[in-house]
Amino acid sequence: MQKAAESKGSRIVLALDFPYESPENRGVILSRARSILQAVHPYICAVKINHHLVLPLGVFDGVQQLVEQIRGQGLLAIMYAKINDIGANNQTIAQYYYAAGFDALIANPFIGWEEGLKPLFEVSQRLNRGIILLCYMSHRGASEGYGQTVIDPETGEQTLQYIMFARKAAKYGADGIVVGATVPQKIAEVKHFVGDNVPIYSPGVGTQGGQAEEAIKAGASYLIVGREITMAVDPAQAAKKLMESIKGV
């Protein structure tokens, strides 16, 4: 990821998300996705694909074509799967997405390590792919789960759920964690615990109210940006402007 960012001179991960479109128009969806990728690839370092595209296009059909385009443009492909099941299922899910060409997957740490994340990490390490863990999401309701006060089972002390997840991400050797750009103070808190060992990916810039420069200053390594780019009149110009706004920050 770092090599891709340095090569492109950008720390922007494009969230290639679109509003609902009738499945009958899947050809239009694929064409639009391809067009945006072609326009913005000089200004981004990776692409995050969500269920917005997987459901209408299919993993081994349209999505795999997009992944091939993404990697052919010198970018990394990240699947925002939010994997959140028992270990055996997680492992199978990962194998399918990796077979489609994805470089990394995003998973939910609420499932725990034993028979949860551990099998996922094992298959990812075997295939030399990455795992990024959720830590604190960008929407308002995130406080109800990620922001709750919990008891650390190892120490018996009270702590915040997202702080525990940050510590565990570092312990597990995660390749990144997700902390919303809408909560820069929490980015700074998490950065204190993970340092430079675990990159912070921050979604929520623009439409959700997150400020790019503020998130980077707080400690975010990469910004995940969707609608600010994909719904712009000129996606390439929007991506370029955002990339230039955080250079040198």
Side-chain angles (χ1 to χ4, degrees):
M1 186 67 183
Q2 186 176 351
K3 289 181 180 179
E6 291 173 351
S7 173
K8 293 288 186 175
S10 175
R11 289 188 280 176
I12 298 172
V13 176
L14 174 68
L16 196 57
D17 303 337
F18 304 134
Y20 173 80
E21 182 88 31
S22 172
E24 295 176 356
N25 298 330
R26 60 176 61 90
V28 174
I29 299 171
L30 179 59
S31 177
R32 183 180 178 191
R34 282 189 173 281
S35 178
I36 289 178
L37 283 175
Q38 186 59 37
V40 308
H41 78 85
Y43 313 114
I44 61 176
C45 61
V47 179
K48 182 207 72 148
I49 288 180
N50 204 333
H51 296 98
H52 297 60
L53 292 180
V54 170
L55 291 175
L57 299 183
V59 175
F60 293 102
D61 192 357
V63 168
Q64 190 169 37
Q65 293 177 44
L66 291 174
V67 170
E68 290 172 356
Q69 180 177 346
I70 290 164
R71 299 188 73 183
Q73 292 168 329
L75 308 169
L76 269 68
I78 301 170
M79 179 59 209
Y80 202 40
K82 299 190 187 78
I83 294 175
N84 189 39
D85 210 323
I86 64 169
N89 292 347
N90 295 337
Q91 199 168 49
T92 300
I93 291 167
Q95 287 173 311
Y96 276 119
Y97 280 127
Y98 291 147
F102 281 97
D103 297 290
L105 306 176
I106 294 176
N108 196 336
F110 271 109
I111 56 177
W113 180 249
E114 293 295 337
E115 299 182 2
L117 290 173
K118 185 178 179 181
L120 180 59
F121 272 75
E122 288 174 344
V123 71
S124 299
Q125 290 167 358
R126 177 167 55 83
L127 297 174
N128 196 30
R129 307 296 174 94
I131 292 294
I132 300 169
L133 296 177
L134 297 175
C135 186
Y136 198 102
M137 294 176 69
S138 55
H139 66 296
R140 293 181 182 177
S143 61
E144 298 176 23
Y146 299 94
Q148 63 187 338
T149 300
V150 297
I151 301 296
D152 188 326
E154 296 181 1
T155 66
E157 298 177 352
Q158 281 193 348
T159 187
L160 292 165
Q161 185 70 78
Y162 66 92
I163 296 299
M164 183 182 291
F165 284 160
R167 287 172 169 162
K168 288 186 175 183
K171 178 182 177 181
Y172 299 157
D175 299 287
I177 49 177
V178 175
V179 183
T182 50
V183 285
Q185 72 280 7
K186 289 178 172 54
I187 296 175
E189 287 181 76
V190 168
K191 183 71 173 180
H192 173 74
F193 287 98
V194 302
D196 295 325
N197 296 320
V198 185
I200 297 174
Y201 292 74
S202 290
V205 170
T207 305
Q208 283 187 284
Q211 300 297 315
E213 186 173 337
E214 194 174 0
I216 293 293
K217 285 182 176 178
S221 307
Y222 307 101
L223 302 178
I224 300 175
V225 185
R227 288 170 287 178
E228 277 294 291
I229 296 174
T230 60
M231 302 301 289
V233 174
D234 186 339
Q237 183 59 33
K240 182 180 180 181
K241 182 179 179 181
L242 183 58
M243 179 191 75
E244 292 176 343
S245 74
I246 58 173
K247 278 190 174 179
V249 177

